Amino acid sequence: MATHQEGKGFGLGTTMCGDPKIWFPMRVTYSREMKVKAELDRLGIESFIPMIYKLVDGDMPQQELVPAISNLIFVRSTQERISGLKSSNKTLEPLRYMIDQTAQQPHTIMTVPDRQMENFMRVASRTDD
């Protein structure tokens, strides 16, 4: 994963990246990642949630496709657009930037380069064993 430090500042000392579109790994509170993804899809914003099949108990046990990591979604957009939507769209309000704790500058927002994200999506999109 990468971090972005160039650009203009935004909010509580976080750093606004200058790239036009980039992948942001983001937290979604209270397991609302599928609802958030549906809204991003409706708005034409690219996003990705790694999924796995999980055995669901019930009258007839069956496998269900569920997020592999709770509360995680990857969003490809500009930081300006995501931040604007978080404040103006109730469904996207639960999105939270992930901060890179290892970065030299404090409050550096975590990002993933396109090439690494493409490789990750290729591997994570396989839902077979």
Side-chain angles (χ1 to χ4, degrees):
M1 290 195 194
T3 55
H4 276 269
Q5 300 171 2
E6 64 275 351
K8 56 187 178 212
F10 184 82
L12 301 165
T14 56
T15 306
M16 185 69 80
C17 77
D19 292 350
K21 280 190 179 178
I22 196 154
W23 284 101
F24 292 92
M26 302 187 81
R27 289 191 182 96
V28 182
T29 57
Y30 304 112
S31 298
R32 293 180 276 190
E33 57 269 18
M34 297 308 291
K35 184 177 180 180
V36 166
K37 179 163 182 30
E39 180 67 6
L40 291 168
D41 290 347
R42 186 184 74 77
L43 294 170
I45 298 172
E46 191 175 0
S47 63
F48 179 74
I49 298 175
M51 305 289 282
I52 59 169
Y53 279 104
K54 180 180 179 183
L55 189 60
V56 178
D57 292 329
D59 293 339
M60 296 182 64
Q62 58 184 0
Q63 288 196 358
E64 183 178 307
L65 197 57
V66 298
I69 304 168
S70 297
N71 305 321
L72 177 69
I73 186 170
F74 294 87
V75 180
R76 186 172 189 270
S77 187
T78 63
Q79 187 174 357
E80 293 88 349
R81 180 145 192 228
I82 293 170
S83 295
L85 288 170
K86 282 171 39 70
S87 63
S88 66
N89 185 316
K90 193 80 169 159
T91 305
L92 300 180
E93 191 176 353
L95 283 170
R96 301 287 181 257
Y97 290 108
M98 296 177 75
I99 303 300
D100 184 351
Q101 302 297 326
T102 64
Q104 290 182 342
Q105 284 189 334
H107 306 289
T108 300
I109 294 173
M110 200 177 291
T111 61
V112 181
D114 281 339
R115 180 81 173 161
Q116 288 179 13
M117 193 65 199
E118 289 167 12
N119 291 336
F120 174 69
M121 289 189 302
R122 200 171 303 119
V123 172
S125 292
R126 294 190 53 153
T127 54
D128 57 346
D129 290 340

PDB file of all heavy atoms in Angstrom, residues 82-113:
ATOM      1  N   ILE A  82     -14.817  11.834  -2.684  1.00  0.00           N
ATOM      2  CA  ILE A  82     -15.223  10.971  -1.572  1.00  0.00           C
ATOM      3  C   ILE A  82     -15.590  11.828  -0.358  1.00  0.00           C
ATOM      4  O   ILE A  82     -16.632  11.618   0.272  1.00  0.00           O
ATOM      5  CB  ILE A  82     -14.113   9.971  -1.210  1.00  0.00           C
ATOM      6  CG1 ILE A  82     -13.907   8.973  -2.347  1.00  0.00           C
ATOM      7  CG2 ILE A  82     -14.466   9.221   0.077  1.00  0.00           C
ATOM      8  CD1 ILE A  82     -12.668   8.092  -2.179  1.00  0.00           C
ATOM      9  N   SER A  83     -14.746  12.786  -0.032  1.00  0.00           N
ATOM     10  CA  SER A  83     -15.007  13.636   1.131  1.00  0.00           C
ATOM     11  C   SER A  83     -16.302  14.428   0.959  1.00  0.00           C
ATOM     12  O   SER A  83     -17.079  14.573   1.904  1.00  0.00           O
ATOM     13  CB  SER A  83     -13.831  14.583   1.371  1.00  0.00           C
ATOM     14  OG  SER A  83     -12.683  13.841   1.717  1.00  0.00           O
ATOM     15  N   GLY A  84     -16.533  14.914  -0.247  1.00  0.00           N
ATOM     16  CA  GLY A  84     -17.782  15.641  -0.517  1.00  0.00           C
ATOM     17  C   GLY A  84     -19.003  14.756  -0.371  1.00  0.00           C
ATOM     18  O   GLY A  84     -20.009  15.160   0.229  1.00  0.00           O
ATOM     19  N   LEU A  85     -18.924  13.536  -0.901  1.00  0.00           N
ATOM     20  CA  LEU A  85     -20.054  12.615  -0.796  1.00  0.00           C
ATOM     21  C   LEU A  85     -20.302  12.169   0.639  1.00  0.00           C
ATOM     22  O   LEU A  85     -21.447  11.988   1.052  1.00  0.00           O
ATOM     23  CB  LEU A  85     -19.823  11.396  -1.697  1.00  0.00           C
ATOM     24  CG  LEU A  85     -19.948  11.656  -3.193  1.00  0.00           C
ATOM     25  CD1 LEU A  85     -19.469  10.456  -3.992  1.00  0.00           C
ATOM     26  CD2 LEU A  85     -21.389  12.011  -3.548  1.00  0.00           C
ATOM     27  N   LYS A  86     -19.219  11.991   1.411  1.00  0.00           N
ATOM     28  CA  LYS A  86     -19.369  11.599   2.811  1.00  0.00           C
ATOM     29  C   LYS A  86     -20.182  12.636   3.586  1.00  0.00           C
ATOM     30  O   LYS A  86     -20.947  12.298   4.473  1.00  0.00           O
ATOM     31  CB  LYS A  86     -18.002  11.436   3.487  1.00  0.00           C
ATOM     32  CG  LYS A  86     -17.289  10.156   3.169  1.00  0.00           C
ATOM     33  CD  LYS A  86     -15.856  10.099   3.659  1.00  0.00           C
ATOM     34  CE  LYS A  86     -15.539  10.696   4.981  1.00  0.00           C
ATOM     35  NZ  LYS A  86     -16.034  10.052   6.164  1.00  0.00           N
ATOM     36  N   SER A  87     -20.017  13.909   3.230  1.00  0.00           N
ATOM     37  CA  SER A  87     -20.723  14.963   3.964  1.00  0.00           C
ATOM     38  C   SER A  87     -22.112  15.266   3.391  1.00  0.00           C
ATOM     39  O   SER A  87     -22.936  15.845   4.086  1.00  0.00           O
ATOM     40  CB  SER A  87     -19.887  16.234   4.009  1.00  0.00           C
ATOM     41  OG  SER A  87     -19.674  16.730   2.712  1.00  0.00           O
ATOM     42  N   SER A  88     -22.381  14.849   2.140  1.00  0.00           N
ATOM     43  CA  SER A  88     -23.662  15.204   1.523  1.00  0.00           C
ATOM     44  C   SER A  88     -24.580  14.007   1.255  1.00  0.00           C
ATOM     45  O   SER A  88     -25.751  14.198   0.943  1.00  0.00           O
ATOM     46  CB  SER A  88     -23.419  15.940   0.201  1.00  0.00           C
ATOM     47  OG  SER A  88     -22.822  15.068  -0.746  1.00  0.00           O
ATOM     48  N   ASN A  89     -24.072  12.790   1.385  1.00  0.00           N
ATOM     49  CA  ASN A  89     -24.864  11.602   1.071  1.00  0.00           C
ATOM     50  C   ASN A  89     -24.965  10.736   2.327  1.00  0.00           C
ATOM     51  O   ASN A  89     -23.969  10.190   2.787  1.00  0.00           O
ATOM     52  CB  ASN A  89     -24.198  10.829  -0.072  1.00  0.00           C
ATOM     53  CG  ASN A  89     -25.006   9.647  -0.545  1.00  0.00           C
ATOM     54  OD1 ASN A  89     -25.531   8.879   0.249  1.00  0.00           O
ATOM     55  ND2 ASN A  89     -25.092   9.481  -1.853  1.00  0.00           N
ATOM     56  N   LYS A  90     -26.149  10.612   2.873  1.00  0.00           N
ATOM     57  CA  LYS A  90     -26.374   9.890   4.137  1.00  0.00           C
ATOM     58  C   LYS A  90     -25.890   8.443   4.066  1.00  0.00           C
ATOM     59  O   LYS A  90     -25.341   7.928   5.035  1.00  0.00           O
ATOM     60  CB  LYS A  90     -27.871   9.936   4.471  1.00  0.00           C
ATOM     61  CG  LYS A  90     -28.200   9.525   5.853  1.00  0.00           C
ATOM     62  CD  LYS A  90     -27.950  10.672   6.802  1.00  0.00           C
ATOM     63  CE  LYS A  90     -28.539  10.357   8.153  1.00  0.00           C
ATOM     64  NZ  LYS A  90     -27.953  11.142   9.201  1.00  0.00           N
ATOM     65  N   THR A  91     -26.054   7.789   2.935  1.00  0.00           N
ATOM     66  CA  THR A  91     -25.644   6.389   2.793  1.00  0.00           C
ATOM     67  C   THR A  91     -24.124   6.246   2.847  1.00  0.00           C
ATOM     68  O   THR A  91     -23.607   5.235   3.316  1.00  0.00           O
ATOM     69  CB  THR A  91     -26.176   5.798   1.470  1.00  0.00           C
ATOM     70  OG1 THR A  91     -27.600   5.983   1.441  1.00  0.00           O
ATOM     71  CG2 THR A  91     -25.862   4.322   1.350  1.00  0.00           C
ATOM     72  N   LEU A  92     -23.385   7.257   2.378  1.00  0.00           N
ATOM     73  CA  LEU A  92     -21.921   7.187   2.346  1.00  0.00           C
ATOM     74  C   LEU A  92     -21.268   7.798   3.578  1.00  0.00           C
ATOM     75  O   LEU A  92     -20.047   7.742   3.721  1.00  0.00           O
ATOM     76  CB  LEU A  92     -21.398   7.857   1.074  1.00  0.00           C
ATOM     77  CG  LEU A  92     -21.905   7.237  -0.231  1.00  0.00           C
ATOM     78  CD1 LEU A  92     -21.331   7.973  -1.423  1.00  0.00           C
ATOM     79  CD2 LEU A  92     -21.584   5.762  -0.298  1.00  0.00           C
ATOM     80  N   GLU A  93     -22.052   8.328   4.469  1.00  0.00           N
ATOM     81  CA  GLU A  93     -21.520   8.920   5.694  1.00  0.00           C
ATOM     82  C   GLU A  93     -20.677   7.950   6.523  1.00  0.00           C
ATOM     83  O   GLU A  93     -19.694   8.355   7.145  1.00  0.00           O
ATOM     84  CB  GLU A  93     -22.681   9.463   6.532  1.00  0.00           C
ATOM     85  CG  GLU A  93     -22.263  10.309   7.682  1.00  0.00           C
ATOM     86  CD  GLU A  93     -23.467  10.890   8.410  1.00  0.00           C
ATOM     87  OE1 GLU A  93     -24.614  10.741   7.950  1.00  0.00           O
ATOM     88  OE2 GLU A  93     -23.225  11.493   9.454  1.00  0.00           O
ATOM     89  N   PRO A  94     -20.999   6.628   6.548  1.00  0.00           N
ATOM     90  CA  PRO A  94     -20.195   5.695   7.366  1.00  0.00           C
ATOM     91  C   PRO A  94     -18.776   5.447   6.855  1.00  0.00           C
ATOM     92  O   PRO A  94     -17.982   4.803   7.543  1.00  0.00           O
ATOM     93  CB  PRO A  94     -20.990   4.387   7.335  1.00  0.00           C
ATOM     94  CG  PRO A  94     -22.315   4.705   6.786  1.00  0.00           C
ATOM     95  CD  PRO A  94     -22.191   5.980   6.013  1.00  0.00           C
ATOM     96  N   LEU A  95     -18.432   5.906   5.653  1.00  0.00           N
ATOM     97  CA  LEU A  95     -17.078   5.697   5.134  1.00  0.00           C
ATOM     98  C   LEU A  95     -16.051   6.427   5.979  1.00  0.00           C
ATOM     99  O   LEU A  95     -16.235   7.598   6.324  1.00  0.00           O
ATOM    100  CB  LEU A  95     -16.974   6.197   3.690  1.00  0.00           C
ATOM    101  CG  LEU A  95     -17.562   5.310   2.608  1.00  0.00           C
ATOM    102  CD1 LEU A  95     -17.599   6.048   1.277  1.00  0.00           C
ATOM    103  CD2 LEU A  95     -16.779   4.025   2.478  1.00  0.00           C
ATOM    104  N   ARG A  96     -14.955   5.738   6.297  1.00  0.00           N
ATOM    105  CA  ARG A  96     -13.870   6.328   7.079  1.00  0.00           C
ATOM    106  C   ARG A  96     -12.544   6.035   6.394  1.00  0.00           C
ATOM    107  O   ARG A  96     -12.257   4.884   6.056  1.00  0.00           O
ATOM    108  CB  ARG A  96     -13.817   5.735   8.501  1.00  0.00           C
ATOM    109  CG  ARG A  96     -15.092   5.929   9.305  1.00  0.00           C
ATOM    110  CD  ARG A  96     -15.235   7.384   9.736  1.00  0.00           C
ATOM    111  NE  ARG A  96     -16.434   7.580  10.530  1.00  0.00           N
ATOM    112  CZ  ARG A  96     -17.561   8.119  10.086  1.00  0.00           C
ATOM    113  NH1 ARG A  96     -17.653   8.494   8.836  1.00  0.00           N
ATOM    114  NH2 ARG A  96     -18.587   8.292  10.882  1.00  0.00           N
ATOM    115  N   TYR A  97     -11.737   7.073   6.191  1.00  0.00           N
ATOM    116  CA  TYR A  97     -10.400   6.875   5.629  1.00  0.00           C
ATOM    117  C   TYR A  97      -9.565   6.060   6.604  1.00  0.00           C
ATOM    118  O   TYR A  97      -9.724   6.167   7.819  1.00  0.00           O
ATOM    119  CB  TYR A  97      -9.698   8.213   5.380  1.00  0.00           C
ATOM    120  CG  TYR A  97     -10.299   9.014   4.259  1.00  0.00           C
ATOM    121  CD1 TYR A  97     -11.032  10.162   4.529  1.00  0.00           C
ATOM    122  CD2 TYR A  97     -10.124   8.639   2.936  1.00  0.00           C
ATOM    123  CE1 TYR A  97     -11.585  10.909   3.508  1.00  0.00           C
ATOM    124  CE2 TYR A  97     -10.674   9.378   1.905  1.00  0.00           C
ATOM    125  CZ  TYR A  97     -11.402  10.510   2.198  1.00  0.00           C
ATOM    126  OH  TYR A  97     -11.949  11.244   1.184  1.00  0.00           O
ATOM    127  N   MET A  98      -8.640   5.261   6.061  1.00  0.00           N
ATOM    128  CA  MET A  98      -7.692   4.531   6.887  1.00  0.00           C
ATOM    129  C   MET A  98      -6.395   5.328   6.895  1.00  0.00           C
ATOM    130  O   MET A  98      -5.915   5.758   5.849  1.00  0.00           O
ATOM    131  CB  MET A  98      -7.488   3.120   6.340  1.00  0.00           C
ATOM    132  CG  MET A  98      -8.764   2.287   6.409  1.00  0.00           C
ATOM    133  SD  MET A  98      -8.595   0.651   5.694  1.00  0.00           S
ATOM    134  CE  MET A  98      -7.657  -0.143   6.978  1.00  0.00           C
ATOM    135  N   ILE A  99      -5.845   5.523   8.072  1.00  0.00           N
ATOM    136  CA  ILE A  99      -4.632   6.313   8.242  1.00  0.00           C
ATOM    137  C   ILE A  99      -3.427   5.382   8.309  1.00  0.00           C
ATOM    138  O   ILE A  99      -3.462   4.355   8.989  1.00  0.00           O
ATOM    139  CB  ILE A  99      -4.706   7.181   9.516  1.00  0.00           C
ATOM    140  CG1 ILE A  99      -5.942   8.084   9.475  1.00  0.00           C
ATOM    141  CG2 ILE A  99      -3.436   7.991   9.714  1.00  0.00           C
ATOM    142  CD1 ILE A  99      -5.987   9.056   8.307  1.00  0.00           C
ATOM    143  N   ASP A 100      -2.369   5.741   7.586  1.00  0.00           N
ATOM    144  CA  ASP A 100      -1.139   4.957   7.588  1.00  0.00           C
ATOM    145  C   ASP A 100      -0.336   5.301   8.836  1.00  0.00           C
ATOM    146  O   ASP A 100       0.244   6.384   8.933  1.00  0.00           O
ATOM    147  CB  ASP A 100      -0.327   5.253   6.324  1.00  0.00           C
ATOM    148  CG  ASP A 100       0.916   4.405   6.212  1.00  0.00           C
ATOM    149  OD1 ASP A 100       1.256   3.696   7.185  1.00  0.00           O
ATOM    150  OD2 ASP A 100       1.553   4.447   5.145  1.00  0.00           O
ATOM    151  N   GLN A 101      -0.320   4.384   9.783  1.00  0.00           N
ATOM    152  CA  GLN A 101       0.372   4.604  11.052  1.00  0.00           C
ATOM    153  C   GLN A 101       1.899   4.571  10.900  1.00  0.00           C
ATOM    154  O   GLN A 101       2.621   4.985  11.798  1.00  0.00           O
ATOM    155  CB  GLN A 101      -0.062   3.553  12.086  1.00  0.00           C
ATOM    156  CG  GLN A 101      -1.554   3.542  12.354  1.00  0.00           C
ATOM    157  CD  GLN A 101      -2.063   4.832  12.957  1.00  0.00           C
ATOM    158  OE1 GLN A 101      -1.377   5.493  13.725  1.00  0.00           O
ATOM    159  NE2 GLN A 101      -3.287   5.207  12.606  1.00  0.00           N
ATOM    160  N   THR A 102       2.383   4.054   9.773  1.00  0.00           N
ATOM    161  CA  THR A 102       3.830   3.947   9.564  1.00  0.00           C
ATOM    162  C   THR A 102       4.408   5.128   8.782  1.00  0.00           C
ATOM    163  O   THR A 102       5.618   5.228   8.625  1.00  0.00           O
ATOM    164  CB  THR A 102       4.179   2.650   8.815  1.00  0.00           C
ATOM    165  OG1 THR A 102       3.599   2.694   7.504  1.00  0.00           O
ATOM    166  CG2 THR A 102       3.669   1.421   9.572  1.00  0.00           C
ATOM    167  N   ALA A 103       3.569   6.003   8.275  1.00  0.00           N
ATOM    168  CA  ALA A 103       4.036   7.143   7.479  1.00  0.00           C
ATOM    169  C   ALA A 103       4.790   8.142   8.357  1.00  0.00           C
ATOM    170  O   ALA A 103       4.519   8.274   9.549  1.00  0.00           O
ATOM    171  CB  ALA A 103       2.854   7.835   6.809  1.00  0.00           C
ATOM    172  N   GLN A 104       5.731   8.832   7.737  1.00  0.00           N
ATOM    173  CA  GLN A 104       6.522   9.821   8.473  1.00  0.00           C
ATOM    174  C   GLN A 104       5.677  11.025   8.872  1.00  0.00           C
ATOM    175  O   GLN A 104       5.860  11.586   9.935  1.00  0.00           O
ATOM    176  CB  GLN A 104       7.733  10.245   7.656  1.00  0.00           C
ATOM    177  CG  GLN A 104       8.753   9.132   7.539  1.00  0.00           C
ATOM    178  CD  GLN A 104       9.978   9.578   6.765  1.00  0.00           C
ATOM    179  OE1 GLN A 104       9.962  10.569   6.054  1.00  0.00           O
ATOM    180  NE2 GLN A 104      11.057   8.825   6.901  1.00  0.00           N
ATOM    181  N   GLN A 105       4.767  11.429   7.992  1.00  0.00           N
ATOM    182  CA  GLN A 105       3.885  12.550   8.310  1.00  0.00           C
ATOM    183  C   GLN A 105       2.638  12.016   9.011  1.00  0.00           C
ATOM    184  O   GLN A 105       2.061  11.021   8.572  1.00  0.00           O
ATOM    185  CB  GLN A 105       3.457  13.290   7.050  1.00  0.00           C
ATOM    186  CG  GLN A 105       4.522  14.168   6.462  1.00  0.00           C
ATOM    187  CD  GLN A 105       3.954  15.040   5.353  1.00  0.00           C
ATOM    188  OE1 GLN A 105       2.975  14.690   4.719  1.00  0.00           O
ATOM    189  NE2 GLN A 105       4.603  16.171   5.113  1.00  0.00           N
ATOM    190  N   PRO A 106       2.202  12.662  10.077  1.00  0.00           N
ATOM    191  CA  PRO A 106       0.989  12.198  10.758  1.00  0.00           C
ATOM    192  C   PRO A 106      -0.249  12.420   9.899  1.00  0.00           C
ATOM    193  O   PRO A 106      -0.273  13.298   9.038  1.00  0.00           O
ATOM    194  CB  PRO A 106       0.950  13.054  12.021  1.00  0.00           C
ATOM    195  CG  PRO A 106       1.777  14.251  11.710  1.00  0.00           C
ATOM    196  CD  PRO A 106       2.803  13.822  10.717  1.00  0.00           C
ATOM    197  N   HIS A 107      -1.260  11.612  10.111  1.00  0.00           N
ATOM    198  CA  HIS A 107      -2.556  11.735   9.436  1.00  0.00           C
ATOM    199  C   HIS A 107      -2.466  11.537   7.925  1.00  0.00           C
ATOM    200  O   HIS A 107      -3.192  12.173   7.172  1.00  0.00           O
ATOM    201  CB  HIS A 107      -3.222  13.074   9.744  1.00  0.00           C
ATOM    202  CG  HIS A 107      -3.347  13.352  11.198  1.00  0.00           C
ATOM    203  ND1 HIS A 107      -4.214  12.674  12.017  1.00  0.00           N
ATOM    204  CD2 HIS A 107      -2.682  14.215  12.000  1.00  0.00           C
ATOM    205  CE1 HIS A 107      -4.092  13.110  13.247  1.00  0.00           C
ATOM    206  NE2 HIS A 107      -3.163  14.044  13.277  1.00  0.00           N
ATOM    207  N   THR A 108      -1.559  10.673   7.477  1.00  0.00           N
ATOM    208  CA  THR A 108      -1.438  10.387   6.052  1.00  0.00           C
ATOM    209  C   THR A 108      -2.446   9.292   5.690  1.00  0.00           C
ATOM    210  O   THR A 108      -2.441   8.216   6.270  1.00  0.00           O
ATOM    211  CB  THR A 108      -0.008   9.933   5.707  1.00  0.00           C
ATOM    212  OG1 THR A 108       0.899  10.984   6.053  1.00  0.00           O
ATOM    213  CG2 THR A 108       0.123   9.627   4.224  1.00  0.00           C
ATOM    214  N   ILE A 109      -3.294   9.587   4.738  1.00  0.00           N
ATOM    215  CA  ILE A 109      -4.341   8.654   4.326  1.00  0.00           C
ATOM    216  C   ILE A 109      -3.735   7.551   3.468  1.00  0.00           C
ATOM    217  O   ILE A 109      -2.961   7.812   2.549  1.00  0.00           O
ATOM    218  CB  ILE A 109      -5.460   9.402   3.579  1.00  0.00           C
ATOM    219  CG1 ILE A 109      -6.158  10.346   4.556  1.00  0.00           C
ATOM    220  CG2 ILE A 109      -6.447   8.434   2.953  1.00  0.00           C
ATOM    221  CD1 ILE A 109      -7.157  11.263   3.921  1.00  0.00           C
ATOM    222  N   MET A 110      -4.131   6.327   3.759  1.00  0.00           N
ATOM    223  CA  MET A 110      -3.630   5.158   3.050  1.00  0.00           C
ATOM    224  C   MET A 110      -4.261   5.074   1.660  1.00  0.00           C
ATOM    225  O   MET A 110      -5.454   5.343   1.489  1.00  0.00           O
ATOM    226  CB  MET A 110      -3.997   3.910   3.861  1.00  0.00           C
ATOM    227  CG  MET A 110      -3.182   2.699   3.561  1.00  0.00           C
ATOM    228  SD  MET A 110      -3.649   1.306   4.637  1.00  0.00           S
ATOM    229  CE  MET A 110      -3.043   1.879   6.214  1.00  0.00           C
ATOM    230  N   THR A 111      -3.448   4.700   0.668  1.00  0.00           N
ATOM    231  CA  THR A 111      -3.916   4.485  -0.702  1.00  0.00           C
ATOM    232  C   THR A 111      -3.263   3.221  -1.242  1.00  0.00           C
ATOM    233  O   THR A 111      -2.287   2.725  -0.680  1.00  0.00           O
ATOM    234  CB  THR A 111      -3.568   5.676  -1.620  1.00  0.00           C
ATOM    235  OG1 THR A 111      -2.149   5.822  -1.660  1.00  0.00           O
ATOM    236  CG2 THR A 111      -4.215   6.965  -1.132  1.00  0.00           C
ATOM    237  N   VAL A 112      -3.818   2.716  -2.344  1.00  0.00           N
ATOM    238  CA  VAL A 112      -3.264   1.532  -3.002  1.00  0.00           C
ATOM    239  C   VAL A 112      -3.042   1.878  -4.473  1.00  0.00           C
ATOM    240  O   VAL A 112      -3.978   2.329  -5.150  1.00  0.00           O
ATOM    241  CB  VAL A 112      -4.218   0.319  -2.894  1.00  0.00           C
ATOM    242  CG1 VAL A 112      -3.625  -0.908  -3.557  1.00  0.00           C
ATOM    243  CG2 VAL A 112      -4.577   0.028  -1.443  1.00  0.00           C
ATOM    244  N   PRO A 113      -1.822   1.678  -4.996  1.00  0.00           N
ATOM    245  CA  PRO A 113      -1.574   1.948  -6.417  1.00  0.00           C
ATOM    246  C   PRO A 113      -2.446   1.053  -7.309  1.00  0.00           C
ATOM    247  O   PRO A 113      -2.771  -0.081  -6.942  1.00  0.00           O
ATOM    248  CB  PRO A 113      -0.091   1.612  -6.590  1.00  0.00           C
ATOM    249  CG  PRO A 113       0.498   1.691  -5.218  1.00  0.00           C
ATOM    250  CD  PRO A 113      -0.595   1.274  -4.285  1.00  0.00           C
TER     251      PRO A 113
END
